[in-house]
């Protein structure tokens, strides 16, 4: 499995105009007036311990095949770590010309490489000059179109419709975390996706590797097209169209699944058109960034690319780099209360042992392999094994973790259940050990002053540690 | 059942002075200082799916008869929709001269026509010149009195005492939603009402229509007078009164129930006095509205009237109107995290199909009748039936809903579990369908370009749709 | 058991530098930029009633003996009130020279007299001139050191490491509430303490007095040293030290428990050094208080002393006094969403009957004894008994409570589960009864106008009532 590196994906935003615009304005105006915040976050906690005895690296639990691609699902009903963290995950593989049908979910999502794109209330008037229509210059009003590039991280509030299209010539892979325990989800922990088209159930297959862990019936099976539950007569009246069109809305005879193949290239995203559009949008986003108070949900930036090495927050030429994205550099994350970290470890390098102070960390391995160790409050090992590309692994809040790259390096994205996730390191230049007085270390660990100094100062790197030969270490 | 249209109700506020004033000031000062918010919201979510298989329009589950009126209760322990949404509802019918005894609840409420009124810390000095006391000019200090008119929407934080009195000559009907899953309720989902007087249990009758759905014993049965649980000797010492008065506080021999009849008209609310008071209050509220930052909980407006057609946010002369109330026009709603919508559909008109993005919607039918269809993420119909005056119906977050008035029109109030509830429409001028490019519609629904344009443009109205004769529709 | 009144405790802060500093800054910058709040709170509510039939005053459920002191735990799995309120409590008794090993917990805490101290990201460079090192002037960098005095109230966010040391010559007693249902705790309601040293399990003993109430296995038993779950080879590599030192980190052969005895006095807290440090710190904190917007988590004040009579918010020379600490006078409490009240009742004095509007109140009896009555919404007595030094008692949100001191007076600290907890009083000068018009009282309680006036005006004190002889009362 490889991320298609140069394939561009164009993604279009779908939502109703007035209502969401209202949201943004109310929020901002409320803030200006009263300094209040209109939205809140919260995570579900189990009433008692959530039954976490050990942690596993996880492959997908379900696989749904459709005409234009494949959807894989990590289902919390099938694995206890996702259950405890209150999250699910989805991976879509869109074939070239694959169109993921419009839908919305009952929980916020955060994805990499354009998985899910929030609809935006901003009506976007543009001229679509398709070849066969050049003479007609038909004006098609629609919403702003956002183009996604590899490494883009995208945040998507709950209940906002979106669709995606792969206009590249290689498969497009999108991975998204669905934060079901997020306060924005008011109903229950079912993964509820509401499709606006098709008959999306497709050919589902439960992969059954973790069958012994299944606790409840999977609920995502039920996700269907909401038009289907309405009376076709009323739909025809509502849209003021004929019954046949109303039936098409309902997707009654549809067999293509949730990802369909587009016969001709979508004209509205012809490269000439998009390229200049995209430039202008980038400019606008930049301008808005300078003027945060006037942003609404529509104009809020929804993506940030942290793939580039120049974007790293921590860089160690002998070890690797770490980049973070949070509400500080992508303000919408304060609203959806998610953040992310992208890490790259070179051959045999080590990520400083640390704990997540205020968030769960849900790690997806993007490339390479390595060894991860996780320890809980019992002081016992919860996980100590190799991980590889395509696996998810959950590190619960406050659990301590060490990552070590194998010979081919290790690259990951960690989704975090807090808009400003913070970590506390156990070793290195900014660690808890470094910050304690020598005498406390001496007495806590029953060691000499020299040994205490070794503990504090022998590893002078920060966050990303280079591999050390054993001979380098002092006795 | 009819709403008494010109009966004015006078409502008085009961709460302790220093403490709540403190609340308001702390909150505001905190905001000024740090930009922080002192209160939060959250909704309970079931750990797994909350068992919602279908939705029903609901009559009350319990009925309590008292000397001065009747209280009806929609109990989440008796119906699954209220359970899933984490709410309960109450309808009081106060006979003329009926006094609803002082009480407070453990969850915030939002009501129409003066159901529940928050006590306010502001001590209110006024001269009550009752006829028999004219010579004495006894000064009775008490709190601000708020008069309620038909159509007033009132918000009431948790734990704030209130009482109500009907000084009209027709019954006063008050309907309130109790948001038990609101974060302000810290204990559990029981409907806890704490009375400060009487022996409020009255003659309760479980209506038993939904007996088969009863899941747990009703808890509201237990609601009593808190003075009753204290030792009468200590009460006498605390108030420095005789034992007989302490026993009266406890309502030991009381048989009038939670609504009592006042023998003579309450003097403090004589029309002459009240009228001018009310004018002054209106002015003060208006001034305060201009200066939001200095408001405290006492001076915060707690009501807004959205019954008037001139107040409509959306108005279609051929269809009807919709008015909304949220934290933008009533700032206290940011604190209690509830909002409301009042809708009026003329004969056979249709409310645009839509979903609630960030809230549950709990609809009470005020007048008329109509047909409602609700669809969940499964794509199956959850409800498709007629509704009529006096019924409640729950539309869970993200579920799609269509309302269609019958021949006598349809009028409702929808309470929403978010201070800034927003909706996303599926058809009409500001809809998700309108905002998608034609080519996405063509491919998603497998239809021609012409059909896609019909879907987007045939219904050009917004939110409220006029009835359309079948002949108007294009094939 | 006595609080050691003049023993000073020095507490040191342990945390990683960059990450937490980042937190503070992001939060503040976020607020400045958008007026948004970066953190939220929420309390767990049981899905249905939490099973509270009565309330008891509670001694500790578990006792853990260690070399340098004793730890006692109030475990919500053993008593229903703590369970319903979503809290646990801890009492440490540190012998002179006792060092509580570094640890962090998965929920915020609030403690009195230096129980738990938040680590702070601010690296603190200081010169430790121990006697044997005078010539060397070894510079030991560590974090800011906070000295704790009797009566200090300390707030500690979740996931922040801390340790404590008793440099006095009498035992140091620290009592802390752990707010497990706080939103900052994302995992479950287990009391998770993560030690960074030792083999802290010690000699635990379940006191078994409430055995019949045990609902689940105690989870705190499992709390261990997180280093222990890592591979010792990897630890050696990470810290770049020898295997022997890595094993010391893991505390493999450790038998001293969670509180160890320091052989020589910790030099870093020599009185000369500390005294001047402390003065400077006080000044800095004061300056920061004037300039709230620039504070970060490190520089935020974490403590406030409310023991002094001059600090009282309410003072009645014939009754006693009450002091409160909330986010208004200690801004970090807006973040951890806890507050506290310290009360002193003189011989036979009475605390006004009241209910907590927006919080649970978890009371710890510091000194003396008295009688407490608690009433729930059922109108029945939930608790009516004597309480004494060292007991905890929970008053759930909205439940009414009266406290009356016995002949030796009563002193308590009440921890409250809201950053700005407010109360509503039932009697006295600022009470709900006082704020209702006479005629409402007359009709609600079926009493004469004179009796209604007695109820309103006979007790003119506020909050703290002096004892009244029966002869003083009017009939």
């Amino acid at each position: 499995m490889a991320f298609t590196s140069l394939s561009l994906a164009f993604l279009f935003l779908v939502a109703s105009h007035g209502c969401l615009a209202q949201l943004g304005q109310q929020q901002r105006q409320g803030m200006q007036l009263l300094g209040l915040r209109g939205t809140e976050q919260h995570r579900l906690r189990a009433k008692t311990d959530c039954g976490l005895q050990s942690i596993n690296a996880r492959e997908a639990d379900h696989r749904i095949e459709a005409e234009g691609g494949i959807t894989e699902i990590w289902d919390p009903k099938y694995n206890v770590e996702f259950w405890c963290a209150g999250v699910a995950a989805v991976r879509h593989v869109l074939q070239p010309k694959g169109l993921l049908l419009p839908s919305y979910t009952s929980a916020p999502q955060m994805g990499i490489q354009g998985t899910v794109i929030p609809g935006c209330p901003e009506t976007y008037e543009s001229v679509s000059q398709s070849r066969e229509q050049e003479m007609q210059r038909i004006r098609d009003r629609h919403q702003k179109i956002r183009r996604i590039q590899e490494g883009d991280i995208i945040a998507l509030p709950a209940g906002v419709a979106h669709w995606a299209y792969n206009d590249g010539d290689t498969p497009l892979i999108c991975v998204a975390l669905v934060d079901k325990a997020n306060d924005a989800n008011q109903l229950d922990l079912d993964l509820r996706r509401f499709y606006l088209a098709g008959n999306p159930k497709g050919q589902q297959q439960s992969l059954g590797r973790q069958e012994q862990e299944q606790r409840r019936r999977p609920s995502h099976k039920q996700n269907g097209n909401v038009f289907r539950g309405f009376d076709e007569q009323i739909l025809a009246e509502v849209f003021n169209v004929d019954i046949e069109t109303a039936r098409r809305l309902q997707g009654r005879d549809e067999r293509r699944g949730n990802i369909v193949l587009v016969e001709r290239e979508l004209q509205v995203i012809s490269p000439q058109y998009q390229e200049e559009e995209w430039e202008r949008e980038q400019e606008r986003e930049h301008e808005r960034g300078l003027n945060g108070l006037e942003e609404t949900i529509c104009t809020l930036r929804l993506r940030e690319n942290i793939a580039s090495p120049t974007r790293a927050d921590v860089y160690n030429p002998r070890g690797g780099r770490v980049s973070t994205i949070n509400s500080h550099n992508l303000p919408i994350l304060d609203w959806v209360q998610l953040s992310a970290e992208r890490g790259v470890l070179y051959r045999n390098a080590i990520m400083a042992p640390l704990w997540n102070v205020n968030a769960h960390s849900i790690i997806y391995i993007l490339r390479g392999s390595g060894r991860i160790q996780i320890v809980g409050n019992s002081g016992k090992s919860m996980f100590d094994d190799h991980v590889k590309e395509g696996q998810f692994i959950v590190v619960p809040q406050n659990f301590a973790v060490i990552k070590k790259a194998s010979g081919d390096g290790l690259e990951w994205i960690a989704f975090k259940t807090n808009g400003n996730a913070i970590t506390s390191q156990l070793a290195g230049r900014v660690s808890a050990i470094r910050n304690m007085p020598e005498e406390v270390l001496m007495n806590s660990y029953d060691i000499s002053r020299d040994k205490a100094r070794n503990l504090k100062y022998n590893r002078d790197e920060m966050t990303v540690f280079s591999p050390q030969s054993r001979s380098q270490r002092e006795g």
Side-chain angles (χ1 to χ4, degrees), chain A:
Chain A
M1 196 189 83
F3 271 68
T4 63
S5 60
L6 285 171
S7 146
L8 292 180
F10 294 91
L11 289 117
F12 302 76
L13 311 173
V14 177
S16 87
H17 182 184
C19 301
L20 280 169
Q22 191 181 9
L23 161 71
Q25 286 175 334
Q26 283 163 6
Q27 252 195 303
R28 289 302 176 275
Q29 291 182 14
M31 285 187 294
Q32 284 173 274
L33 209 63
L34 289 178
L36 293 179
R37 204 163 63 107
T39 50
E40 319 66 35
Q41 286 306 118
H42 171 255
R43 300 207 59 75
L44 185 100
R45 278 92 20 112
K47 277 189 68 170
T48 181
D49 76 285
C50 66
L52 197 59
Q53 302 297 329
S54 70
I55 293 173
N56 290 291
R58 300 285 185 177
E59 317 281 341
D61 298 305
H62 312 289
R63 178 183 171 93
I64 303 170
E65 299 196 356
E67 184 195 59
I70 289 165
T71 296
E72 289 162 297
I73 296 172
W74 281 256
D75 185 343
K77 294 184 175 170
Y78 280 63
N79 74 69
V80 67
E81 305 95 325
F82 276 66
W83 181 259
C84 287
V87 298
V90 178
R91 180 168 56 204
H92 298 294
V93 181
L94 273 66
Q95 294 304 322
K97 296 196 181 175
L99 171 71
L100 177 63
L101 293 180
S103 69
Y104 58 94
T105 56
S106 54
Q109 300 178 61
M110 192 169 194
I112 187 165
Q113 196 167 23
T115 310
V116 283
I117 306 296
C120 182
E122 185 182 20
T123 293
Y124 200 78
E125 284 204 43
S126 67
V127 181
S128 162
Q129 281 181 269
S130 60
R131 259 149 283 161
E132 70 268 50
Q133 289 166 347
E134 241 162 24
M135 300 300 105
Q136 298 172 275
R137 291 188 63 86
I138 295 297
R139 194 176 280 270
D140 178 25
R141 281 184 309 243
H142 54 79
Q143 286 189 226
K144 189 163 99 173
I145 292 167
R146 295 170 195 249
R147 192 165 59 172
I148 304 303
Q149 282 184 298
E150 201 216 347
D152 274 354
I153 305 281
I154 293 142
L156 175 61
V160 172
H162 58 275
W163 53 274
Y165 174 66
N166 179 11
D167 79 326
D169 48 14
T170 54
L172 171 70
I173 297 169
C174 309
V175 176
L177 185 83
V178 187
D179 186 19
K180 303 198 303 176
N182 195 293
D183 188 40
N185 179 13
Q186 294 195 351
L187 192 51
D188 58 27
L189 284 182
D190 265 16
L191 178 50
R192 297 178 184 271
R193 184 179 290 271
F194 298 76
Y195 279 95
L196 297 180
N199 182 2
K201 302 187 187 185
Q203 291 287 78
Q204 179 176 327
Q205 182 190 353
S206 271
L207 301 177
R209 274 189 305 272
Q210 289 96 8
E211 247 165 311
Q212 66 288 4
E213 286 187 32
Q214 179 176 1
R215 310 168 139 210
R216 290 148 199 94
R217 288 150 302 147
S219 58
H220 64 276
K221 270 185 189 170
Q222 307 163 359
N223 294 326
N225 174 347
V226 293
F227 285 119
R228 206 143 176 183
F230 288 120
D231 181 86
E232 63 191 26
Q233 294 287 349
I234 284 194
L235 280 183
E237 185 178 1
V238 155
F239 282 94
N240 198 20
V241 296
D242 58 21
I243 290 287
E244 176 51 28
T245 305
R247 284 187 185 135
R248 291 288 186 170
L249 279 176
Q250 297 183 318
R252 291 240 171 249
D253 306 316
E254 190 59 77
R255 303 208 177 281
R256 296 175 296 171
N258 65 328
I259 303 172
V260 304
L261 279 181
V262 168
E263 287 175 34
R264 283 194 306 270
E265 193 65 65
L266 287 196
Q267 296 303 322
V268 68
I269 50 163
S270 65
Q272 309 90 303
Y273 165 70
Q274 278 304 315
E275 208 57 53
E276 89 191 30
E277 225 17 78
W278 191 64
E279 298 294 324
R280 273 188 283 158
E281 184 195 331
Q282 295 285 89
E283 277 171 36
R284 276 195 302 264
E285 284 188 359
H286 181 69
E287 284 161 19
R288 269 175 223 126
L290 304 175
N291 192 2
L293 284 169
E294 292 173 11
E295 292 187 317
T296 67
I297 169 66
C298 335
T299 59
L300 266 178
R301 268 187 312 121
L302 301 167
R303 70 158 181 253
E304 171 91 6
N305 196 303
I306 56 173
S308 158
T310 61
R311 174 67 175 69
D313 298 310
V314 174
Y315 174 57
N316 177 347
R318 297 178 56 220
R321 63 179 189 269
V322 171
S323 314
T324 53
I325 182 171
N326 54 39
S327 70
H328 189 42
N329 43 38
L330 189 60
I332 196 174
L333 297 182
D334 191 87
W335 189 29
V336 298
Q337 280 296 310
L338 292 168
S339 52
E341 159 200 291
R342 182 163 179 157
V344 176
L345 286 183
Y346 302 156
R347 172 193 175 85
N348 298 330
I350 305 173
M351 181 79 173
L354 54 81
W355 72 91
N356 290 277
V357 170
N358 59 354
H360 300 308
S361 174
I362 299 95
I363 300 169
Y364 179 75
I365 308 300
L366 290 171
R367 224 181 314 255
S369 64
R371 183 181 176 194
I372 292 185
Q373 296 195 356
I374 301 173
V375 182
N377 60 309
S378 67
K380 287 185 202 133
S381 176
M382 299 293 285
F383 179 80
D384 180 6
D385 208 344
H386 281 79
V387 294
K388 60 177 189 194
E389 192 174 303
Q391 288 180 324
F392 264 105
I393 186 164
V394 173
V395 183
Q397 183 189 18
N398 286 4
F399 282 39
V401 59
I402 295 179
K403 304 185 194 77
K404 186 174 201 288
S406 63
D408 54 348
L410 181 66
E411 203 166 323
W412 71 89
I413 173 104
F415 300 102
K416 306 209 172 181
T417 57
N418 191 303
N420 279 305
I422 55 175
T423 57
S424 195
Q425 298 179 20
L426 279 161
R429 208 162 72 230
V430 292
S431 65
I433 297 297
R434 187 83 160 237
N435 281 331
M436 282 194 269
E438 282 169 20
E439 287 168 323
V440 170
L441 297 182
M442 288 161 61
N443 281 287
S444 292
Y445 299 121
D446 199 12
I447 52 178
S448 69
R449 187 173 296 271
D450 279 349
K451 297 280 191 195
R453 285 183 191 158
N454 288 346
L455 270 183
K456 287 185 77 165
Y457 303 115
N458 272 12
R459 177 64 80 169
D460 202 42
E461 293 165 313
M462 187 176 83
T463 311
V464 176
F465 297 168
S466 56
Q468 304 258 345
S469 66
R470 188 166 303 254
S471 62
Q472 282 179 267
R473 292 182 221 146
E474 314 172 46

